[in-house]
Each structure stands twice: as C-alpha cells, then as structure tokens.
Amino acid sequence: MSSELRNTGWKVALATAIGIGVVGWMFAREFQPEALTGFNFDARSVCCLVFAAIAMCGRDFGLTWRFRTITDGQLSWKRALQVDLMCAFTSAITPSAVGGSPAAIFYLSREGLPVGRATTLTLTTLLLDELFFVLFCPIIVFSIPFDDLFGEGGAVLGSVKIVFWTVYSAIVAYTALLYAGILWRPQAVASALHKLFSLRWLKRWQGNIDRMTGNMIATSAHVRHCPLSWWVRVFGATVVSWFSRYLVVNALFWGFVPSADGFLVFGRQFVVWVVLMVSPTPGGSGVSEWLFSNYYGDLIGNVSLALLLAIVWRLYSYYVYLIAGAFLVPRYFKKKKTA
C-alpha cells in the first residue's frame, strides 16, 4: 500500500484528464456563451461560494470527529484530520466502488492502531455510512414527488432512476448483512456464509468471505458493548458529514439559481451520490459532471450555467482533495509510523 501511494502521480493525472476531457466534450457540445448574457456575479454569488466552502469544511469536520470518536480519543484532532484527508484523496484516485474505506485500515494502522482494531473500526464506519442511506433515502423519496425527484422523461433520467433503485436495494441488503454480522448474530451469519460459499460454484470466494466474517465477529466484540452515547456521537458525525456534503449544492443554487426549491435540490443529492457509488472512473470523474448537468438541468433551465455549476461543484467536492492529497502524501509517508 505504501509504495503504491508514493507513486500516485499518474493516478492523479488520469483522474484529472478524465474529468477535464468529459467537461471539454460537454462544453464543445452544449455550451453557449450567449446564454449567460445578463448573468451577474454579485455579492450573493460570492457569499454562496463562501457558504459552499464552509459546507465542505463541515464534511471534513464530521469525518474527523468520527475518526477521533471511534478511536476513543487515541487520535488527536490533527491526526484524525490527516486520516480523513488521506481517505478522501484515495477516494479521488480510485473508482467510486472502491472508495477510501479500505484504505482507512492502512491509515489507521499507520497512526498506531493494531491492524485488527483498525479493521473493526473501519467496518463500523462502513456500517454507519450505509445505514445513513438506508434511513434517510426513504424519507427523501416519500417527501418529494417521484417526478420531481427523478425528473420527468428522457432516457438519461430514466436510467438514473433504474440505477438508483438497483444500487439502493444492494445497499439495504449489504447493510442488513453488516448489521446482522456485527450487532445481531455474528456467529450465525459467519456460519451461514461459510456454508453458502462452500458450494462448488462459490468456493473460489470462500477465503475472502471467511476473512470478512472473521472481521465482523471481531468488530462485534468491540462495539456491542459501546454505550448509546458513543453510537449517537459516531452516527451524528456521519450525518453531519453527509449533510454538509449535500449542502454544497444548495449553496451554489442559492447563489446562482435562487428560484429553485431548496429541499428538492437537497433531496436530489441523495440520488446523485447513490448513483455515483457504481461509477467506474476515479472519484466519479467525468460521470459526476455529466450527471450533475443533466440531472439538475431542469431546475437550472440553462445548459451553459448547469455546466459551470457542475464544474464549481466538482472543484469543491473533488479537485480540492486531489490537490490536498498531492501535497499531503509525500509528507505523510516521510513521517515515521506512529507506535
């Protein structure tokens, strides 16, 4: 892992090239400068950009708070922030389906946590992230009319709806597995999965499944006796992080498309991030910009402005972590591993 992350320059270049390439193609195809005639960059616009920056800081505060809490204060605020930024950087240079969670085990172990404990804590954070979507997505879906939430008509928006429900169903199933394997019946889940993957056509994955269930049992032993206040803090930090991430888009709409329904703008972010979980590109590069401009296009009403807002959104939510990581990685691996 260490040697791989020391040579991430080409991954950063690839992620950047994909994003710029797709944006360039979209601009050449759809951008019309005259459509922005009369657009004024005023004090409101400046304030919205500041609020968007504050929202992204809220995202990092939430995850830093969570890392500090799950380690029972073993990580200082500074070290917890470093782990958060390194995970964000890893997410930015790997496909969205991989993300920064597996790397969190490595970063936590570098901060002095035993690998076993780092694994259990990472599984706990994964459960919390998945639980966030399982709990809040139905609230959003049943609070906003379907046609408003997913947009009306078009093959693109129809595909978004299909991908959303498919991925959300997988999230529910995975969350149920994590819950049962960590908090309910870890031994029973481990035994059932071991038997299932003993079947001839599944046996090739049995080793990986046994390691996963072993980690779940270890996680269960660690967290089942944590007090309710501990769970409230770590889940509260998770909610703060995700809500802050979503509010970046609300800040941009408040500054540039103030007539849009703020709750609908916020609700659509749930759909966006669920769909992006299966993006094959590093950090959702290219896919994110395309999805944003198409999915939010009906609320913006101006294709050219939609493209510009998509770029600004990605600058805040993606490229800032590429830049931060490029500076942080060399220093992070030069320091000695914490004992």
Side-chain angles (χ1 to χ4, degrees):
M1 174 73 85
S2 176
S3 60
E4 180 181 347
L5 287 176
R6 287 194 187 101
N7 298 285
T8 54
W10 71 270
K11 294 183 180 180
V12 174
L14 175 63
T16 304
I18 292 174
I20 293 177
V22 171
V23 169
W25 171 76
M26 292 170 65
F27 261 81
R29 183 169 174 255
E30 300 179 350
F31 186 73
Q32 298 177 345
E34 60 272 15
L36 299 179
T37 301
F39 172 76
N40 295 317
F41 190 82
D42 52 18
R44 185 191 188 100
S45 305
V46 173
C47 287
C48 92
L49 296 177
V50 172
F51 290 157
I54 293 173
M56 281 312 299
C57 288
R59 177 259 180 212
D60 291 309
F61 168 75
L63 290 183
T64 300
W65 177 24
R66 188 170 76 175
F67 277 123
R68 181 165 165 76
T69 302
I70 64 173
T71 59
D72 299 319
Q74 183 173 341
L75 293 186
S76 66
W77 283 100
K78 179 180 179 181
R79 289 165 61 197
L81 177 60
Q82 286 181 335
V83 172
D84 161 51
L85 292 177
M86 289 302 298
C87 288
F89 175 69
T90 304
S91 296
I93 62 174
T94 56
S96 299
V98 177
S101 293
I105 299 172
F106 171 74
Y107 298 129
L108 288 172
S109 67
R110 275 193 63 86
E111 295 297 334
L113 277 71
V115 174
R117 187 180 178 209
T119 302
T120 65
L121 295 180
T122 300
L123 267 179
T124 304
T125 62
L126 184 59
L127 171 62
L128 292 168
D129 284 329
E130 304 302 320
L131 186 61
F132 170 83
F133 284 102
V134 169
L135 294 179
F136 283 98
C137 277
I139 296 174
I140 294 298
V141 168
F142 290 110
S143 299
I144 301 174
F146 273 32
D147 288 342
D148 291 339
L149 183 61
F150 293 102
E152 297 184 25
V156 170
L157 297 181
S159 299
V160 167
K161 186 186 299 186
I162 293 172
V163 173
F164 170 81
W165 286 117
T166 302
V167 176
Y168 179 70
S169 298
I171 291 174
V172 171
Y174 187 44
T175 304
L177 174 63
L178 288 175
Y179 173 79
I182 293 175
L183 297 176
W184 186 42
R185 299 283 297 277
Q187 295 289 350
V189 171
S191 177
L193 288 176
H194 179 79
K195 291 179 180 178
L196 175 63
F197 281 84
S198 295
L199 298 175
R200 186 176 59 183
W201 56 89
L202 295 176
K203 197 171 183 63
R204 59 183 297 188
W205 294 289
Q206 188 180 46
N208 291 332
I209 292 298
D210 286 345
R211 281 190 290 274
M212 182 191 75
T213 53
N215 289 331
M216 287 196 297
I217 291 172
T219 302
S220 176
H222 177 78
V223 302
R224 288 179 78 177
H225 303 295
C226 290
L228 178 61
S229 59
W230 185 88
W231 284 103
V232 170
R233 290 200 306 275
V234 292
F235 189 66
T238 302
V239 173
V240 167
S241 174
W242 280 107
F243 275 22
S244 297
R245 192 184 319 224
Y246 294 170
L247 288 173
V248 173
V249 176
N250 276 84
L252 296 179
F253 269 80
W254 174 74
F256 298 100
V257 195
S259 60
D261 182 338
F263 186 64
L264 176 57
V265 171
F266 183 81
R268 285 192 178 188
Q269 277 290 284
F270 280 86
V271 177
V272 167
W273 286 99
V274 167
V275 171
L276 288 178
M277 285 183 181
V278 292
S279 171
T281 60
S285 237
V287 177
S288 298
E289 292 85 352
W290 172 83
L291 178 61
F292 183 97
S293 61
N294 281 277
Y295 186 43
Y296 279 106
D298 62 326
L299 299 182
I300 298 171
N302 183 325
V303 176
S304 300
L305 180 57
L307 287 174
L308 290 177
L309 290 184
I311 294 172
V312 175
W313 170 59
R314 288 293 280 171
L315 286 173
Y316 278 103
S317 63
Y318 178 68
Y319 287 103
V320 67
Y321 294 108
L322 276 182
I323 296 170
F327 284 100
L328 185 59
V329 164
R331 296 176 55 193
Y332 189 78
F333 287 105
K334 277 183 182 178
K335 74 173 186 177
K336 293 183 179 179
K337 179 177 177 179
T338 304

